[in-house]
Amino acid sequence: MNKSELIERLAARSGVNVQQAEEIVNIIYKRMRDTLVGGGRIEIRGFGSFVVKEYFAYEGRNPKTGEKISVPPKKLPFFKVGKELKERIDKAPVVEEATSDDGTIDDDMSSGNHERA
């Protein structure tokens, strides 16, 4: 699911129009982003939690040249799946990826527009 699909589903299920649903989703995204940028933690019970992990500077190597490079410290968002979601995914039936005769992925299957058995 992408952002536009989320907006469409919210509009359809809640009875608000698409513009209102988009505003709601944008408000939630902005609040989540602001919380993480501010060093906060987001926990959605049954789904998971988002935190920012800090990585210290270190000396690495360029894989092509082998040259030593200095990697600066950085902060990256990290998602930890919740127990309930992890269990539901583990129990979900496995869906084989459909491929056509030429080896490419079938669009209907790869886009998520298919039903589970």
Side-chain angles (χ1 to χ4, degrees):
M1 175 181 288
N2 60 34
K3 184 177 178 182
S4 61
E5 292 169 336
L6 176 62
I7 290 167
E8 289 172 13
R9 285 195 187 180
L10 176 60
R13 290 187 179 186
S14 67
V16 299
N17 65 43
V18 174
Q19 291 80 17
Q20 291 170 321
E22 182 176 14
E23 186 175 342
I24 292 166
V25 169
N26 286 336
I27 289 169
I28 293 169
Y29 280 10
K30 183 180 184 318
R31 182 67 178 130
M32 290 174 75
R33 181 179 57 242
D34 292 349
T35 297
L36 291 173
V37 167
R41 178 177 188 270
I42 299 166
E43 181 178 338
I44 302 170
R45 301 239 179 224
F47 184 72
S49 60
F50 298 87
V51 295
V52 175
K53 288 193 172 189
E54 293 188 43
Y55 296 89
F56 296 106
Y58 63 93
E59 190 173 277
R61 291 193 180 271
N62 180 326
K64 283 188 176 182
T65 64
E67 174 187 1
K68 290 183 181 182
I69 56 172
S70 177
V71 179
K74 58 187 165 190
K75 297 178 185 178
L76 295 172
F78 178 78
F79 175 73
K80 181 179 179 187
V81 68
K83 180 181 176 184
E84 183 180 325
L85 178 59
K86 184 178 180 181
E87 289 171 354
R88 289 188 71 173
I89 289 173
D90 189 42
K91 292 177 183 176
V94 175
V95 177
E96 295 291 326
E97 189 173 276
T99 57
S100 62
D101 292 337
D102 64 359
T104 59
I105 296 174
D106 181 21
D107 286 337
D108 289 337
M109 295 300 284
S110 63
S111 66
N113 294 331
H114 58 279
E115 295 182 26
R116 293 186 180 247

